[in-house]
């Protein structure tokens, strides 16, 4: 897909409501489904001005050339609303996975999520096409279940100075997931915060290399 076609696809996305930004190869062997962050509680619709969505749109654009070289398409989901709201993004992510099956077929899917996106990924990883989760600064809580990660591979990166979500809680979640997941990995990003403003190439490299490794 050319850059012009990608921009045209972005322009076709409706202002609010669940939607997908698709950067496809001609015959994808797999899909990386990108899940953005959000807030604990909000019924406000997600639009193109959302910082959380734009952050992962930038990551999608950065990692896509390497994933396309491996015949992997990248799809970025835009949630219906900004908040977690006891699980609002879960239905949107399930819908996106159904769209992958409908449009691309029965191909492997890796979930790439930031913050609330990482949390959402952990709930929908039991989809039959999902092979693993790549989480960057995930928002994982002590009461989040790990059962959906059974047999999946999980890799997470977190900064030690993140004041929004907790690297310590990410380690604790991975410790619990180790009992059911096929593999788990924690990558220490050092003294960086939540929004991935620093060490941008390193965040993107982690996302790229782990997505490709989980799909290998």
């Amino acid at each position: 897909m050319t850059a012009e076609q990608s921009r045209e696809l972005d322009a076709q996305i409706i202002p609010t409501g669940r939607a997908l930004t698709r950067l496809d190869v001609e015959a994808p062997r797999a899909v990386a489904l990108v899940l953005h962050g959000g807030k604990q509680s909000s019924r406000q619709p997600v639009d193109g001005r959302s910082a959380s969505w734009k952050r992962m749109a930038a990551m999608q654009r950065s990692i896509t050339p390497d994933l396309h070289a491996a015949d992997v398409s990248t799809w970025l989901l835009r949630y219906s609303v900004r908040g977690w709201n006891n699980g609002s993004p879960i239905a949107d992510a399930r819908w996106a996975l159904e769209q992958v099956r409908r449009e691309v077929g029965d191909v492997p899917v890796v979930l790439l999520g930031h913050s609330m996106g990482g949390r959402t990924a952990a709930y929908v990883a039991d989809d039959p096409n999902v092979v693993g989760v790549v989480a960057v600064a995930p928002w994982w809580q002590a009461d989040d279940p790990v059962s959906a990660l059974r047999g999946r591979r999980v890799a997470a990166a977190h900064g030690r100075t993140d004041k929004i979500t907790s690297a310590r809680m990410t380690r604790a979640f991975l410790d619990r997931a180790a009992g059911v997941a096929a593999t788990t990995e924690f990558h220490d990003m050092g003294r960086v915060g939540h929004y991935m403003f620093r060490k941008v190439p390193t965040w993107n490299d982690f996302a790229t290399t782990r997505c490709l490794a989980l799909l290998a």
Side-chain angles (χ1 to χ4, degrees), residues 28-200:
R29 68 171 181 86
V31 171
L33 178 60
V34 185
L35 306 172
H36 64 83
K39 300 181 177 181
Q40 182 169 345
S41 299
S42 175
R43 294 291 177 182
Q44 183 178 357
V46 181
D47 59 27
R49 295 170 295 180
S50 164
S52 297
W53 179 83
K54 289 169 72 174
R55 187 171 296 112
M56 291 310 280
M59 178 173 277
Q60 181 194 23
R61 290 191 296 271
S62 295
I63 70 174
T64 289
D66 285 337
L67 269 64
H68 276 192
D71 296 322
V72 178
S73 291
T74 67
W75 291 23
L76 168 63
L77 171 64
R78 180 187 292 178
Y79 309 129
S80 301
V81 296
R82 297 189 181 204
W84 174 253
N85 307 322
N86 295 317
S88 292
I90 294 173
D92 293 333
R94 297 278 188 202
W95 168 82
L97 289 163
E98 285 297 331
Q99 299 311 302
V100 172
R101 272 187 287 275
R102 180 178 300 176
E103 299 292 331
V104 181
D106 221 14
V107 298
V109 176
V110 64
L111 304 172
L112 168 61
H114 172 247
S115 192
M116 187 176 77
R119 190 178 193 184
T120 302
Y123 278 77
V124 302
D126 57 354
D127 182 274
N129 289 98
V130 171
V131 297
V133 170
V134 178
V136 287
W139 176 32
W140 285 331
Q141 297 292 286
D143 58 349
D144 284 334
V146 297
S147 55
L149 297 169
R150 185 170 301 280
R152 274 53 172 179
R153 300 171 68 190
V154 187
H158 217 130
R160 276 176 270 153
T161 52
D162 190 331
K163 304 300 183 184
I164 306 300
T165 59
S166 166
R168 178 182 57 80
M169 293 187 74
T170 292
R171 286 182 183 272
F173 181 86
L174 290 173
D175 285 345
R176 290 195 291 121
V180 298
T183 62
T184 60
E185 176 196 358
F186 179 85
H187 182 75
D188 185 352
M189 286 292 295
R191 298 183 64 80
V192 296
H194 185 67
Y195 297 111
M196 302 188 294
F197 293 146
R198 296 177 58 199
K199 295 188 177 180
V200 174

